[in-house]
Amino acid sequence: MSRTDTSLSALGARWQALAPREQHLLLGASALVLLALAWWLALAPALQTLRSAGPRHSALDAQLQHMQSLQAEALQLQAQPRIRPDDAQRALQTSVTETLGTTARLSLNGDRATLTLQGAPADALAAWLAQARSNARAVPQETHLTRSTPGATRAGGPAARPPVTSAVRWDGTIVLALPPR
C-alpha cells in the first residue's frame, strides 16, 4: 500500500469513529467553506465587474467621442491649404489688433511669435488663440500666464475695491510657432 492509501484509510476510520451528529456538523462546515470559496473566487469578482461595467462603458464612450472630435479637427486642419509665412505673420498681427487690442503686443522673430499680454480678457484670448490656430496656422509652444490683479490702493486713502467684473484677465507671454518657410 502506498502512503496515500494508508492516509485515506486512517481518515476513513477516524470518520467512522465520529458520532453521526459530529459527522453532520463537519459536513455542514465543509459545505459552508466551499460556498465561501466559491463566492470569493467566482461570484464576487463577476458581480463587481457587472456593477462597474455601466459607468466604465459610459466613460469610455465619452472618451471615444472626444477622440473622434479631435480626429475630425486634425483632419480639417490637415485639409487646409498651406499658408505662406508672410501671410501667416500678417494674419497673426491683424488678429492681435482686432481681437486683443491694446492689451497685447506681438513681436515676430523668424518662425516664432511672442505675444505679451497685460490685462487681456480671457474670452478674447481664447477667441484669439482659435483664430491664430485656424487663420495663421500658429501653434502655441510656451505659455506663461498669471491672473491679473486689478489696481491696489488709492493715493492717500484706504485700499480701494476694484470694480466687480465677471471677466478674468491675464498677464504674461505666449510663444507661438509659425508655419516653416
Side-chain angles (χ1 to χ4, degrees):
M1 276 185 137
S2 71
R3 184 175 176 168
T4 346
D5 290 338
T6 55
S7 296
L8 284 177
S9 63
L11 189 59
R14 186 147 166 85
W15 179 259
Q16 293 300 326
L18 292 175
R21 181 177 175 199
E22 291 173 337
Q23 288 178 354
H24 290 311
L25 285 174
L26 277 176
L27 285 174
S30 299
L32 186 64
V33 168
L34 285 175
L35 279 173
L37 277 174
W39 175 260
W40 285 325
L41 297 177
L43 295 176
L47 288 175
Q48 179 61 30
T49 302
L50 254 164
R51 272 188 229 116
S52 65
R56 287 195 68 201
H57 186 66
S58 298
L60 288 173
D61 281 345
Q63 186 178 12
L64 175 65
Q65 196 171 25
H66 179 68
M67 294 297 287
Q68 287 173 337
S69 70
L70 289 175
Q71 178 188 22
E73 183 182 346
L75 291 173
Q76 180 185 12
L77 287 172
Q78 286 176 345
Q80 292 179 342
R82 292 221 180 263
I83 188 169
R84 294 187 334 209
D86 295 335
D87 293 339
Q89 289 178 354
R90 205 171 307 111
L92 201 57
Q93 188 68 49
T94 303
S95 69
V96 166
T97 54
E98 288 177 359
T99 309
L100 297 171
T102 60
T103 62
R105 189 181 78 245
L106 184 70
S107 62
L108 301 167
N109 186 11
D111 64 344
R112 293 213 180 258
T114 303
L115 181 71
T116 306
L117 303 168
Q118 287 185 331
D123 53 348
L125 180 59
W128 178 80
L129 282 169
Q131 284 179 352
R133 179 78 172 138
S134 63
N135 297 344
R137 314 292 193 284
V139 180
Q141 298 294 310
E142 262 182 68
T143 303
H144 301 282
L145 296 176
T146 57
R147 197 171 193 165
S148 288
T149 53
T153 60
R154 289 186 184 150
R161 287 209 150 162
V164 177
T165 60
S166 61
V168 174
R169 296 187 172 271
W170 296 103
D171 293 336
T173 59
I174 299 175
V175 179
L176 302 149
L178 296 174
R181 294 192 179 266

